[in-house]
Amino acid sequence: MSETLHGPGALRTDPMPAWTQHHYGGIETVALANIDVPVPRRGQVLLRPRATALNNGDIRLMRGEPLLVRLAFGLHRPRQSVRGMDAAATVVALGEGVTGLAVGDEVMGELPGGGGLARYAVCPAARLVRRPPGLDPAVAATLPIAGGTAWQALELGGVTDAAATGGSPQRVLVIGASGGVGTFAVQLAAERGAEVWALCGERNRGLVESLGAARSFDYNAVQPGSPELGEGRFDAVLDIAGTAPLRMLRRLARVGGRVVVVSGEGGRVWGPIGRLAAASVLSIGSKRPLRPLAAVAKPDVLAELVGLAVDGRLRPVVERRFPFAEADAALARVADGHVAGKVVVLAE
Ligand SMILES: NC(=O)c1ccc[n+]([C@@H]2O[C@H](COP(=O)([O-])OP(=O)(O)OC[C@H]3O[C@@H](n4cnc5c(N)ncnc54)[C@H](OP(=O)(O)O)[C@@H]3O)[C@@H](O)[C@H]2O)c1
């Protein structure tokens, strides 16, 4: 990098390669181009990503769908033109007021709105967690959004560590168990001592069982309402696939149990928001409440996930690592919606 620092926040560099888009749309709107290096503002750091993990959220932002996201991320085009929200990276410059991080530190975290599919990216320092040397950058990059969402879903579902609380093991159903969030949810629930049942595609049943699911079912054969799952048998149901009717999901939970609604499709304008709102309404006064999840970046949770991964108690599943030059193919793979675990793009 040819760069000159003229005091905090002022950084002069050559343009950098980045996968950018200038209007919302499909993969064809994303292209490799040279753009200006972003300048870290107060409280931000400039990062050189080493690995960027992709999420369904990147695809929603790429498409600008549901349309409601455009209110926050840009009406006519994405304000942040570079996708890639989860990164493991090296700190290369500090914005004003940043303390506790230094140039050269290895970190990881969720970049607001994206930016990871570029040579450099900016991120609020407060969102970042240090990456221990033993944790592969590609593995570290999978943790912030998918791992964080799974963790927050378990918390919302009341899934506690049976050994730590002296309680009896809970039975937890994970629907959509083989994707990014699901592979973390299965492992984290099992880690808390739960008996995990999993719904996933037939080809991934072996995978989710290897991650700790006691029982797994092919979602083409077994759905909420099928006798195999019964009624009132689960302390917590995590609906990550978002396809089952809410009333069917609720019947799965025992009285006092909870259903966490992580996802759902509701059309081009509202997307999952309608289903999440309906979950709240249906829960009023219910003994088996449906809890909509709106996961947020939580560095303290990320630090816990890092600890588990370093100890070998959490094994992030990386389906495939793509080179930077093929980041468009990586986005296409995630857009396909059938990833087992995570897709990661490695820096050049
Ligand atoms: N609420 C929040 O705060 C929040 C945060 C993060 C993500 N999300 C949402 O959560 C959803 C999942 O994210 P992700 O990253 O895990 O996606 P992903 O990696 O694309 O995984 C989706 C998984 O769902 C499985 N699936 C599809 N239909 C299914 C069904 N009927 N029953 C069971 N499994 C089914 C797929 O399995 P096959 O490959 O076998 O089809 C795939 O493994 C997305 O909609 C995302 O937007 C919400």
Side-chain angles (χ1 to χ4, degrees):
M1 173 185 183
S2 123
E3 67 181 43
T4 325
L5 260 174
H6 301 279
L11 182 73
R12 291 223 186 115
T13 64
D14 296 334
M16 63 169 185
W19 286 92
T20 63
Q21 56 173 161
H22 299 295
H23 51 96
Y24 292 115
I27 300 297
E28 71 286 352
T29 63
V30 180
L32 192 55
N34 280 323
I35 64 171
D36 290 340
V37 173
V39 175
R41 294 196 203 144
R42 185 172 180 78
Q44 294 184 331
V45 295
L46 184 69
L47 299 172
R48 178 152 185 156
R50 293 165 64 97
T52 299
L54 301 179
N55 288 279
N56 189 271
D58 290 306
I59 304 304
R60 289 188 193 275
L61 273 181
M62 178 182 80
R63 294 180 176 144
E65 290 181 3
L67 295 178
L68 218 58
V69 307
R70 300 187 187 197
L71 291 178
F73 293 97
L75 276 187
H76 302 295
R77 64 181 72 84
R79 213 170 284 131
Q80 163 57 277
S81 68
V82 180
R83 305 276 63 79
M85 292 194 281
D86 273 344
T90 311
V91 176
V92 293
L94 307 178
E96 264 181 74
V98 173
T99 54
L101 282 177
V103 169
D105 284 351
E106 293 297 333
V107 294
M108 50 198 285
E110 182 184 334
L111 316 177
L117 293 180
R119 184 171 291 163
Y120 299 102
V122 288
C123 184
R127 281 199 172 202
L128 296 167
V129 162
R130 285 175 195 279
R131 178 177 64 80
L135 192 59
D136 176 356
V139 172
T142 66
L143 293 173
I145 292 181
T149 300
W151 182 287
Q152 290 172 60
L154 290 169
E155 296 289 311
L156 197 56
V159 181
T160 51
D161 185 335
T165 59
S168 50
Q170 294 164 301
R171 184 180 292 143
V172 176
L173 175 64
V174 180
I175 304 175
S178 63
V181 178
T183 48
F184 281 113
V186 169
Q187 294 187 70
L188 292 170
E191 168 67 21
R192 292 179 187 199
E195 177 190 317
V196 183
W197 293 31
L199 269 190
C200 60
E202 179 65 28
R203 74 193 163 93
N204 289 318
R205 288 184 56 204
L207 169 69
V208 301
E209 287 180 14
S210 77
L211 298 175
R215 301 191 63 179
S216 70
F217 303 91
D218 172 9
Y219 67 71
N220 285 309
V222 174
Q223 280 288 313
S226 300
E228 288 85 345
L229 301 179
E231 286 193 16
R233 291 165 83 173
F234 296 96
D235 298 286
V237 176
L238 310 187
D239 177 35
I240 300 165
T243 54
L246 293 175
R247 287 175 198 281
M248 301 297 278
L249 289 174
R250 189 157 61 180
R251 279 189 215 146
L252 293 166
R254 66 164 176 79
V255 171
R258 296 182 195 175
V259 177
V260 180
V261 182
V262 178
S263 185
E265 286 311 321
R268 204 164 164 247
V269 177
W270 294 95
I273 294 161
R275 190 167 187 265
L276 297 176
S280 294
V281 173
L282 278 172
S283 295
I284 296 168
S286 171
K287 291 182 178 146
R288 291 174 294 182
L290 298 151
R291 300 270 191 230
L293 175 69
V296 292
K298 290 195 174 182
D300 56 330
V301 168
L302 180 55
E304 297 268 3
L305 294 166
V306 169
L308 289 172
V310 168
D311 289 352
R313 290 152 68 197
L314 182 64
R315 288 188 294 125
V317 177
V318 179
E319 180 194 87
R320 189 166 162 195
R321 300 168 192 226
F322 288 79
F324 183 75
E326 294 171 21
D328 53 346
L331 281 164
R333 176 66 187 135
V334 177
D336 176 48
H338 297 291
V339 175
K342 299 294 298 174
V343 160
V344 179
V345 176
L346 302 176
E348 313 139 273

PDB file of all heavy atoms in Angstrom, residues 326-348:
ATOM      1  N   GLU A 326     -12.764 -13.950  -7.181  1.00  0.00           N
ATOM      2  CA  GLU A 326     -14.026 -14.651  -7.466  1.00  0.00           C
ATOM      3  C   GLU A 326     -15.116 -14.320  -6.444  1.00  0.00           C
ATOM      4  O   GLU A 326     -16.009 -15.126  -6.191  1.00  0.00           O
ATOM      5  CB  GLU A 326     -13.777 -16.164  -7.508  1.00  0.00           C
ATOM      6  CG  GLU A 326     -12.886 -16.577  -8.661  1.00  0.00           C
ATOM      7  CD  GLU A 326     -12.469 -18.042  -8.579  1.00  0.00           C
ATOM      8  OE1 GLU A 326     -13.163 -18.832  -7.894  1.00  0.00           O
ATOM      9  OE2 GLU A 326     -11.438 -18.378  -9.173  1.00  0.00           O
ATOM     10  N   ALA A 327     -15.035 -13.114  -5.883  1.00  0.00           N
ATOM     11  CA  ALA A 327     -16.025 -12.733  -4.859  1.00  0.00           C
ATOM     12  C   ALA A 327     -17.434 -12.700  -5.436  1.00  0.00           C
ATOM     13  O   ALA A 327     -18.405 -12.948  -4.714  1.00  0.00           O
ATOM     14  CB  ALA A 327     -15.661 -11.383  -4.262  1.00  0.00           C
ATOM     15  N   ASP A 328     -17.568 -12.393  -6.724  1.00  0.00           N
ATOM     16  CA  ASP A 328     -18.913 -12.397  -7.330  1.00  0.00           C
ATOM     17  C   ASP A 328     -19.505 -13.808  -7.311  1.00  0.00           C
ATOM     18  O   ASP A 328     -20.707 -13.985  -7.042  1.00  0.00           O
ATOM     19  CB  ASP A 328     -18.899 -11.801  -8.746  1.00  0.00           C
ATOM     20  CG  ASP A 328     -17.869 -12.443  -9.653  1.00  0.00           C
ATOM     21  OD1 ASP A 328     -16.968 -13.159  -9.163  1.00  0.00           O
ATOM     22  OD2 ASP A 328     -17.970 -12.226 -10.881  1.00  0.00           O
ATOM     23  N   ALA A 329     -18.665 -14.813  -7.540  1.00  0.00           N
ATOM     24  CA  ALA A 329     -19.151 -16.204  -7.483  1.00  0.00           C
ATOM     25  C   ALA A 329     -19.531 -16.566  -6.049  1.00  0.00           C
ATOM     26  O   ALA A 329     -20.494 -17.315  -5.814  1.00  0.00           O
ATOM     27  CB  ALA A 329     -18.080 -17.152  -8.008  1.00  0.00           C
ATOM     28  N   ALA A 330     -18.789 -16.027  -5.092  1.00  0.00           N
ATOM     29  CA  ALA A 330     -19.117 -16.285  -3.678  1.00  0.00           C
ATOM     30  C   ALA A 330     -20.477 -15.681  -3.333  1.00  0.00           C
ATOM     31  O   ALA A 330     -21.308 -16.313  -2.675  1.00  0.00           O
ATOM     32  CB  ALA A 330     -18.028 -15.704  -2.782  1.00  0.00           C
ATOM     33  N   LEU A 331     -20.728 -14.451  -3.800  1.00  0.00           N
ATOM     34  CA  LEU A 331     -22.033 -13.822  -3.563  1.00  0.00           C
ATOM     35  C   LEU A 331     -23.147 -14.643  -4.215  1.00  0.00           C
ATOM     36  O   LEU A 331     -24.220 -14.832  -3.635  1.00  0.00           O
ATOM     37  CB  LEU A 331     -22.042 -12.395  -4.122  1.00  0.00           C
ATOM     38  CG  LEU A 331     -21.362 -11.325  -3.259  1.00  0.00           C
ATOM     39  CD1 LEU A 331     -21.090 -10.059  -4.073  1.00  0.00           C
ATOM     40  CD2 LEU A 331     -22.201 -10.985  -2.026  1.00  0.00           C
ATOM     41  N   ALA A 332     -22.876 -15.143  -5.414  1.00  0.00           N
ATOM     42  CA  ALA A 332     -23.883 -15.938  -6.126  1.00  0.00           C
ATOM     43  C   ALA A 332     -24.202 -17.210  -5.340  1.00  0.00           C
ATOM     44  O   ALA A 332     -25.362 -17.635  -5.259  1.00  0.00           O
ATOM     45  CB  ALA A 332     -23.396 -16.281  -7.528  1.00  0.00           C
ATOM     46  N   ARG A 333     -23.191 -17.798  -4.756  1.00  0.00           N
ATOM     47  CA  ARG A 333     -23.404 -19.027  -3.970  1.00  0.00           C
ATOM     48  C   ARG A 333     -24.303 -18.740  -2.759  1.00  0.00           C
ATOM     49  O   ARG A 333     -25.204 -19.507  -2.430  1.00  0.00           O
ATOM     50  CB  ARG A 333     -22.044 -19.599  -3.523  1.00  0.00           C
ATOM     51  CG  ARG A 333     -22.144 -20.817  -2.631  1.00  0.00           C
ATOM     52  CD  ARG A 333     -22.740 -22.016  -3.344  1.00  0.00           C
ATOM     53  NE  ARG A 333     -22.977 -23.125  -2.431  1.00  0.00           N
ATOM     54  CZ  ARG A 333     -24.093 -23.850  -2.417  1.00  0.00           C
ATOM     55  NH1 ARG A 333     -25.066 -23.639  -3.288  1.00  0.00           N
ATOM     56  NH2 ARG A 333     -24.228 -24.830  -1.557  1.00  0.00           N
ATOM     57  N   VAL A 334     -24.070 -17.617  -2.103  1.00  0.00           N
ATOM     58  CA  VAL A 334     -24.887 -17.282  -0.934  1.00  0.00           C
ATOM     59  C   VAL A 334     -26.312 -16.930  -1.377  1.00  0.00           C
ATOM     60  O   VAL A 334     -27.289 -17.310  -0.731  1.00  0.00           O
ATOM     61  CB  VAL A 334     -24.242 -16.128  -0.128  1.00  0.00           C
ATOM     62  CG1 VAL A 334     -25.119 -15.722   1.046  1.00  0.00           C
ATOM     63  CG2 VAL A 334     -22.872 -16.554   0.372  1.00  0.00           C
ATOM     64  N   ALA A 335     -26.418 -16.224  -2.504  1.00  0.00           N
ATOM     65  CA  ALA A 335     -27.745 -15.835  -3.016  1.00  0.00           C
ATOM     66  C   ALA A 335     -28.584 -17.061  -3.352  1.00  0.00           C
ATOM     67  O   ALA A 335     -29.815 -17.035  -3.262  1.00  0.00           O
ATOM     68  CB  ALA A 335     -27.582 -14.960  -4.257  1.00  0.00           C
ATOM     69  N   ASP A 336     -27.914 -18.141  -3.675  1.00  0.00           N
ATOM     70  CA  ASP A 336     -28.576 -19.406  -4.007  1.00  0.00           C
ATOM     71  C   ASP A 336     -29.377 -19.959  -2.808  1.00  0.00           C
ATOM     72  O   ASP A 336     -30.352 -20.681  -2.979  1.00  0.00           O
ATOM     73  CB  ASP A 336     -27.434 -20.356  -4.442  1.00  0.00           C
ATOM     74  CG  ASP A 336     -27.903 -21.739  -4.726  1.00  0.00           C
ATOM     75  OD1 ASP A 336     -28.888 -21.847  -5.446  1.00  0.00           O
ATOM     76  OD2 ASP A 336     -27.285 -22.704  -4.220  1.00  0.00           O
ATOM     77  N   GLY A 337     -28.952 -19.608  -1.566  1.00  0.00           N
ATOM     78  CA  GLY A 337     -29.723 -19.972  -0.366  1.00  0.00           C
ATOM     79  C   GLY A 337     -29.530 -21.394   0.113  1.00  0.00           C
ATOM     80  O   GLY A 337     -30.283 -21.855   0.974  1.00  0.00           O
ATOM     81  N   HIS A 338     -28.549 -22.107  -0.410  1.00  0.00           N
ATOM     82  CA  HIS A 338     -28.369 -23.505  -0.007  1.00  0.00           C
ATOM     83  C   HIS A 338     -26.954 -23.805   0.472  1.00  0.00           C
ATOM     84  O   HIS A 338     -26.435 -24.897   0.279  1.00  0.00           O
ATOM     85  CB  HIS A 338     -28.745 -24.440  -1.160  1.00  0.00           C
ATOM     86  CG  HIS A 338     -30.193 -24.325  -1.533  1.00  0.00           C
ATOM     87  ND1 HIS A 338     -31.206 -24.767  -0.708  1.00  0.00           N
ATOM     88  CD2 HIS A 338     -30.791 -23.779  -2.612  1.00  0.00           C
ATOM     89  CE1 HIS A 338     -32.376 -24.509  -1.267  1.00  0.00           C
ATOM     90  NE2 HIS A 338     -32.155 -23.904  -2.422  1.00  0.00           N
ATOM     91  N   VAL A 339     -26.350 -22.816   1.103  1.00  0.00           N
ATOM     92  CA  VAL A 339     -24.992 -23.023   1.627  1.00  0.00           C
ATOM     93  C   VAL A 339     -25.062 -23.916   2.862  1.00  0.00           C
ATOM     94  O   VAL A 339     -25.977 -23.783   3.682  1.00  0.00           O
ATOM     95  CB  VAL A 339     -24.365 -21.662   2.015  1.00  0.00           C
ATOM     96  CG1 VAL A 339     -23.015 -21.858   2.670  1.00  0.00           C
ATOM     97  CG2 VAL A 339     -24.241 -20.771   0.792  1.00  0.00           C
ATOM     98  N   ALA A 340     -24.101 -24.814   2.979  1.00  0.00           N
ATOM     99  CA  ALA A 340     -23.955 -25.582   4.219  1.00  0.00           C
ATOM    100  C   ALA A 340     -22.885 -24.869   5.041  1.00  0.00           C
ATOM    101  O   ALA A 340     -21.711 -24.911   4.698  1.00  0.00           O
ATOM    102  CB  ALA A 340     -23.546 -27.015   3.923  1.00  0.00           C
ATOM    103  N   GLY A 341     -23.289 -24.178   6.099  1.00  0.00           N
ATOM    104  CA  GLY A 341     -22.350 -23.378   6.882  1.00  0.00           C
ATOM    105  C   GLY A 341     -22.129 -22.036   6.209  1.00  0.00           C
ATOM    106  O   GLY A 341     -23.083 -21.368   5.810  1.00  0.00           O
ATOM    107  N   LYS A 342     -20.865 -21.655   6.052  1.00  0.00           N
ATOM    108  CA  LYS A 342     -20.535 -20.304   5.582  1.00  0.00           C
ATOM    109  C   LYS A 342     -19.681 -20.314   4.319  1.00  0.00           C
ATOM    110  O   LYS A 342     -18.954 -21.259   4.035  1.00  0.00           O
ATOM    111  CB  LYS A 342     -19.730 -19.577   6.669  1.00  0.00           C
ATOM    112  CG  LYS A 342     -20.449 -19.407   7.990  1.00  0.00           C
ATOM    113  CD  LYS A 342     -21.645 -18.483   7.899  1.00  0.00           C
ATOM    114  CE  LYS A 342     -21.270 -17.081   7.500  1.00  0.00           C
ATOM    115  NZ  LYS A 342     -22.470 -16.245   7.278  1.00  0.00           N
ATOM    116  N   VAL A 343     -19.773 -19.209   3.593  1.00  0.00           N
ATOM    117  CA  VAL A 343     -18.913 -18.949   2.431  1.00  0.00           C
ATOM    118  C   VAL A 343     -18.000 -17.783   2.803  1.00  0.00           C
ATOM    119  O   VAL A 343     -18.470 -16.771   3.338  1.00  0.00           O
ATOM    120  CB  VAL A 343     -19.787 -18.592   1.207  1.00  0.00           C
ATOM    121  CG1 VAL A 343     -18.969 -17.866   0.154  1.00  0.00           C
ATOM    122  CG2 VAL A 343     -20.408 -19.859   0.619  1.00  0.00           C
ATOM    123  N   VAL A 344     -16.705 -17.940   2.523  1.00  0.00           N
ATOM    124  CA  VAL A 344     -15.724 -16.917   2.904  1.00  0.00           C
ATOM    125  C   VAL A 344     -14.906 -16.504   1.683  1.00  0.00           C
ATOM    126  O   VAL A 344     -14.546 -17.345   0.857  1.00  0.00           O
ATOM    127  CB  VAL A 344     -14.776 -17.464   4.001  1.00  0.00           C
ATOM    128  CG1 VAL A 344     -13.729 -16.430   4.386  1.00  0.00           C
ATOM    129  CG2 VAL A 344     -15.567 -17.881   5.236  1.00  0.00           C
ATOM    130  N   VAL A 345     -14.629 -15.202   1.585  1.00  0.00           N
ATOM    131  CA  VAL A 345     -13.760 -14.674   0.524  1.00  0.00           C
ATOM    132  C   VAL A 345     -12.427 -14.287   1.168  1.00  0.00           C
ATOM    133  O   VAL A 345     -12.409 -13.521   2.140  1.00  0.00           O
ATOM    134  CB  VAL A 345     -14.414 -13.447  -0.152  1.00  0.00           C
ATOM    135  CG1 VAL A 345     -13.472 -12.846  -1.187  1.00  0.00           C
ATOM    136  CG2 VAL A 345     -15.748 -13.842  -0.793  1.00  0.00           C
ATOM    137  N   LEU A 346     -11.351 -14.828   0.621  1.00  0.00           N
ATOM    138  CA  LEU A 346     -10.027 -14.527   1.163  1.00  0.00           C
ATOM    139  C   LEU A 346      -9.449 -13.303   0.461  1.00  0.00           C
ATOM    140  O   LEU A 346      -9.674 -13.110  -0.745  1.00  0.00           O
ATOM    141  CB  LEU A 346      -9.088 -15.724   0.960  1.00  0.00           C
ATOM    142  CG  LEU A 346      -9.573 -17.031   1.605  1.00  0.00           C
ATOM    143  CD1 LEU A 346      -8.619 -18.174   1.261  1.00  0.00           C
ATOM    144  CD2 LEU A 346      -9.696 -16.868   3.123  1.00  0.00           C
ATOM    145  N   ALA A 347      -8.722 -12.482   1.202  1.00  0.00           N
ATOM    146  CA  ALA A 347      -8.092 -11.307   0.593  1.00  0.00           C
ATOM    147  C   ALA A 347      -7.053 -11.769  -0.417  1.00  0.00           C
ATOM    148  O   ALA A 347      -6.605 -12.913  -0.394  1.00  0.00           O
ATOM    149  CB  ALA A 347      -7.437 -10.470   1.679  1.00  0.00           C
ATOM    150  N   GLU A 348      -6.678 -10.827  -1.290  1.00  0.00           N
ATOM    151  CA  GLU A 348      -5.712 -11.208  -2.357  1.00  0.00           C
ATOM    152  C   GLU A 348      -4.450 -11.766  -1.717  1.00  0.00           C
ATOM    153  O   GLU A 348      -4.030 -11.337  -0.678  1.00  0.00           O
ATOM    154  CB  GLU A 348      -5.318  -9.999  -3.184  1.00  0.00           C
ATOM    155  CG  GLU A 348      -6.476  -9.156  -3.623  1.00  0.00           C
ATOM    156  CD  GLU A 348      -6.145  -7.694  -3.499  1.00  0.00           C
ATOM    157  OE1 GLU A 348      -6.349  -7.147  -2.417  1.00  0.00           O
ATOM    158  OE2 GLU A 348      -5.660  -7.129  -4.491  1.00  0.00           O
TER     159      GLU A 348
END
